[in-house]
Amino acid sequence: MNAESEITRDTEGYTARHTATPRAEVAVVVIGYDDAAHVTDAVRSALAQGAAVREVVAVDDCSRDGSAGLLERLSASEPRLKVIRRRANSGGCGTPRNTGLDAVTSPYVMFLDSDDVLPPGAVDALLAAAEGAHAEVAGGLCVRRELPSGREVPWQPRLYGLHAVVPRPAQRTRLVHDTLCVNKLYRTAFLRAHGIRFPEGRFPYEDVVFTARVLAAAPRIALVPDRVYVWHVRRTDTRLSISLDRSGVENWRARTEACRQAYEVLLGAGQKELARAARAKFLDHDLRMYVRELGLRDAAYRRAWWELTRAHLAEYDADDWARNPAAPGRLIGRVVLACPEPCDLPRLRELAARPARLYPPYARTADGTPVWSDGIPQVSLEPLRARPVRALPLAVDAELRPGARGTRLRLRLHELYGRVAQAGPETVEVEWQHRDDGDVVVPGPSLTLTPCAANAASAANAASAASAASAASAASAGMQGADGAAGAGGSGGTAGPGGAAGAAGAAGAAETIGGTGTWSAETVVDLLALAAPGVGTWDLRLRIRFRDGASRDVTAHALTGAGLLRRRAVPSARHGVLLVQPYTTHSGALALRVAPGVRGVLSVVRTRLRRLLH
């Protein structure tokens, strides 16, 4: 071992090289079009990575705003920067990335968009992981930074919580959820040996197909928890990015086509598990995201979107639907397939929320089978009966009324085919999370959930019936063997062998006795605590705790009606006045805007004027 390097071994058992004077190993391909305001910041963030960066290849996609001139002037003082200007605009991101990839001479390559930046140390972290693990690909944490607020949201944090090495992608199917190409370092020879390139021309979501091609080649992948990419989200820009501009149905057409091609690439390479996982990811992520916004679109968009979605989902087979059948995305997809025209959009929006809410009514067939609705009985909700209570799509109503004598929050938890009564809800914990800074939380009290008068007695009877049925099931399972008896118990888990029938029987008993019940709680909102950071938006978060210690984190459906969701000016001894605005988010959840004092009120007025003028 020479004096310039040190080999360390992490908890995953692979070696990582930390070099005092790193070799120039990495090329960063920066692409841009008409982005003179940001492109030089992106390039400088790549150059600032230090000696590990051998070259930065900036590809200007025939800009008309002087971007190329800015890059040329910068290259005059920076020998590592090479500028390539395309003679015709490609209409997308794939072609300029391919152009840059063809010009790379370094052993490793990364990709960077002109309106984003690489945080300090990103290249060193990825290069050390790739070389230490002998990996063809290294990936790290990307954060979405909302501008101008500066709020940061990690992208796919479950993948990047710890250092890890994945010998083959099929061993971690979660990789299909991270379709970004920009938070990764690739061995250049690996991409070229397998002919891995981006789709050419105007092909939105080109990185979805590129990532599938990478995974299909079965590379060894190193993962690091370091922040390696900052994705800037500028929703106020006059020209939104391709992925953010979802106003036209062509965006959805492009996304479904990219997901279809990704599936075919993986399946064609024999990566069946990854292909299945890619379809599951479409249901859980893409479909739910667009359904949350569907009610905001006009009738023509909704019809076209519905038709496209039905055509795409018709390609799924029985195995695709059989996996995790109670998952919200699968239930939504089955409703779309069952109906030739858009239907139940408000209820689908609730189910598409995160966490999901299955809002009433809770229909059943004549034999008691839970179904989506009386009009769509072919979509069975029977799998919900076996779902752990901590994963149920519980529905909570929230009614917030600001007033001079106190701002009261009333909550109501709905029964769900007897599962809630069976679990025995006891308390609900309230907290308000700041929209722009998720680390800022105003905790509320822990409230006792009280059965409403109509079902107070039936809730107790349901719990007793559920307990008796579980005991009977355990006794029956005991006659079949110890494994069956163990499976019947557990805290909110899935029933094991011999326990499933008992769990279903308990649920059925609870459903019969208290299937239409509700539980309620009420508290006063501390507006002064919410006003302390200044003008801001707060999201209501709830945690329901059950008799056996299980819990479920939920959001609340914002009730509408007389006097609700209206802006109120509330007198305040500290601020003079508080402007309070309860409102419903795209997913139907309750949120609250608070503006303290005269300055806060003026800030809200200015914001509204800007929206009206633009």
Side-chain angles (χ1 to χ4, degrees):
M1 183 185 300
N2 62 51
E4 292 184 343
S5 66
E6 178 185 359
I7 305 297
T8 61
R9 188 174 298 274
D10 73 1
T11 56
E12 293 287 334
Y14 74 90
T15 57
R17 181 182 293 110
H18 303 281
T19 307
T21 55
R23 299 188 304 275
E25 298 277 339
V26 179
V28 181
V29 174
V30 184
I31 65 166
Y33 168 67
D34 278 359
D35 198 16
H38 309 116
V39 65
T40 54
D41 290 337
V43 169
R44 288 192 175 98
S45 77
L47 294 169
Q49 295 296 310
V53 175
R54 176 189 295 182
E55 57 189 339
V56 176
V57 181
V59 182
D60 179 77
D61 202 11
C62 197
S63 296
R64 302 161 298 178
D65 67 346
S67 296
L70 291 174
L71 292 171
E72 291 288 357
R73 286 193 288 275
L74 183 57
S75 68
S77 60
E78 179 47 74
R80 291 181 296 166
L81 175 59
K82 178 180 181 179
V83 179
I84 301 174
R85 187 177 189 191
R86 292 183 46 79
R87 294 184 178 180
N89 179 258
S90 68
C93 298
T95 297
R97 286 200 186 119
N98 289 335
T99 300
L101 181 59
D102 290 339
V104 163
T105 62
S106 303
Y108 295 92
V109 62
M110 292 183 66
F111 300 99
L112 172 63
D113 290 347
S114 63
D115 53 350
D116 302 328
V117 293
L118 297 179
V123 169
D124 286 344
L126 291 173
L127 181 59
E131 292 196 324
H134 307 290
E136 287 84 15
V137 179
L141 184 67
C142 168
V143 294
R144 288 168 50 109
R145 180 181 292 165
E146 299 273 351
L147 296 176
S149 70
R151 178 196 183 200
E152 291 189 350
V153 180
W155 171 259
Q156 297 298 326
R158 288 174 54 185
L159 273 174
Y160 302 106
L162 297 170
H163 287 276
V165 175
V166 183
R168 294 182 302 279
Q171 294 178 332
R172 188 168 296 190
T173 57
R174 184 77 190 179
L175 287 166
V176 301
H177 284 253
D178 184 9
T179 55
L180 299 181
C181 69
V182 289
N183 59 330
K184 300 175 183 71
L185 177 83
Y186 305 91
R187 193 182 293 274
T188 309
F190 162 76
L191 296 180
R192 289 174 177 166
H194 292 277
I196 298 172
R197 298 172 68 79
F198 293 89
E200 295 278 353
R202 181 164 181 78
F203 190 101
Y205 305 107
E206 74 294 329
D207 46 356
V208 173
V209 178
F210 178 84
T211 299
R213 291 171 177 170
V214 169
L215 296 178
R220 184 176 175 86
I221 301 176
L223 307 176
V224 300
D226 306 67
R227 289 160 47 108
V228 301
Y229 197 86
V230 179
W231 173 6
H232 287 147
V233 179
R234 298 178 173 89
R235 299 186 188 277
T236 57
D237 283 2
T238 55
R239 188 190 73 189
L240 292 175
S241 68
I242 292 174
S243 60
L244 288 179
D245 187 5
R246 299 196 289 266
S247 58
V249 77
E250 287 306 314
N251 178 279
W252 181 240
R253 187 190 306 275
R255 187 182 284 263
T256 55
E257 176 58 27
C259 291
R260 178 182 293 107
Q261 289 195 25
Y263 170 80
E264 292 173 349
V265 165
L266 292 168
L267 193 64
Q271 301 283 358
K272 294 183 179 179
E273 285 301 312
L274 290 174
R276 293 283 187 203
R279 279 188 166 176
K281 172 259 177 187
F282 175 85
L283 295 172
D284 184 63
H285 174 69
D286 305 79
L287 183 64
R288 290 174 71 177
M289 176 170 58
Y290 281 71
V291 165
R292 288 195 294 269
E293 302 174 355
L294 196 54
L296 305 175
R297 312 303 184 194
D298 61 30
Y301 176 101
R302 293 196 294 267
R303 285 194 299 271
W305 184 94
W306 200 268
E307 181 180 353
L308 284 169
T309 306
R310 281 170 54 84
H312 182 70
L313 295 180
E315 299 173 4
Y316 282 38
D317 59 31
D319 286 343
D320 293 319
W321 297 110
R323 297 189 176 197
N324 197 6
R330 281 171 176 78
L331 294 178
I332 293 169
R334 289 169 59 204
V335 171
V336 173
L337 275 178
C339 301
E341 296 289 337
C343 67
D344 289 353
L345 297 188
R347 198 160 179 243
L348 289 173
R349 177 191 68 175
E350 298 279 335
L351 189 57
R354 293 191 184 275
R357 301 184 300 270
L358 181 60
Y359 203 67
Y362 303 122
R364 287 174 290 186
T365 59
D367 64 1
T369 301
V371 293
W372 176 259
S373 69
D374 292 335
I376 314 176
Q378 62 269 46
V379 177
S380 172
L381 302 184
E382 182 68 24
L384 289 176
R385 291 185 173 183
R387 198 168 178 82
V389 69
R390 63 180 179 273
L392 287 175
L394 301 182
V396 177
D397 288 335
E399 176 185 313
L400 192 145
R401 294 183 183 272
R405 297 184 178 181
T407 297
R408 305 200 67 81
L409 174 67
R410 296 182 177 90
L411 304 172
R412 185 175 61 175
L413 167 66
H414 290 273
E415 179 58 276
L416 184 63
Y417 296 113
R419 295 299 312 283
V420 178
Q422 177 188 359
E426 293 186 337
T427 61
V428 56
E429 298 169 4
V430 178
E431 72 173 26
W432 296 90
Q433 185 178 59
H434 198 279
R435 174 71 57 81
D436 294 331
D437 186 350
D439 293 332
V440 178
V441 173
V442 174
S446 178
L447 308 172
T448 299
L449 282 165
T450 304
C452 295
N455 76 304
S458 62
N461 292 337
S464 176
S467 176
S470 295
S473 171
S476 173
M479 293 171 21
Q480 301 173 20
D483 289 343
S491 166
T494 303
E511 180 181 340
T512 300
I513 297 171
T516 58
T518 57
W519 291 257
S520 64
E522 186 171 335
T523 187
V524 175
V525 179
D526 186 354
L527 290 182
L528 288 180
L530 299 182
V535 178
T537 299
W538 300 84
D539 292 306
L540 177 63
R541 308 293 187 196
L542 306 171
R543 174 169 293 171
I544 301 170
R545 295 195 179 275
F546 297 90
R547 183 173 49 243
D548 64 357
S551 65
R552 173 61 163 150
D553 292 339
V554 299
T555 55
H557 166 82
L559 285 179
T560 60
L564 298 174
L565 304 184
R566 294 177 57 187
R567 183 181 293 109
R568 294 286 299 274
V570 179
S572 168
R574 181 178 301 178
H575 300 284
V577 65
L578 290 175
L579 197 61
V580 182
Q581 170 69 71
Y583 75 100
T584 180
T585 67
H586 287 345
S587 66
L590 178 68
L592 184 64
R593 296 190 185 99
V594 178
V598 176
R599 290 185 179 180
V601 173
L602 292 176
S603 174
V604 171
V605 171
R606 285 194 296 268
T607 300
R608 287 183 61 81
L609 285 175
R610 281 197 298 269
R611 289 176 179 171
L612 290 173
L613 293 174
H614 291 84

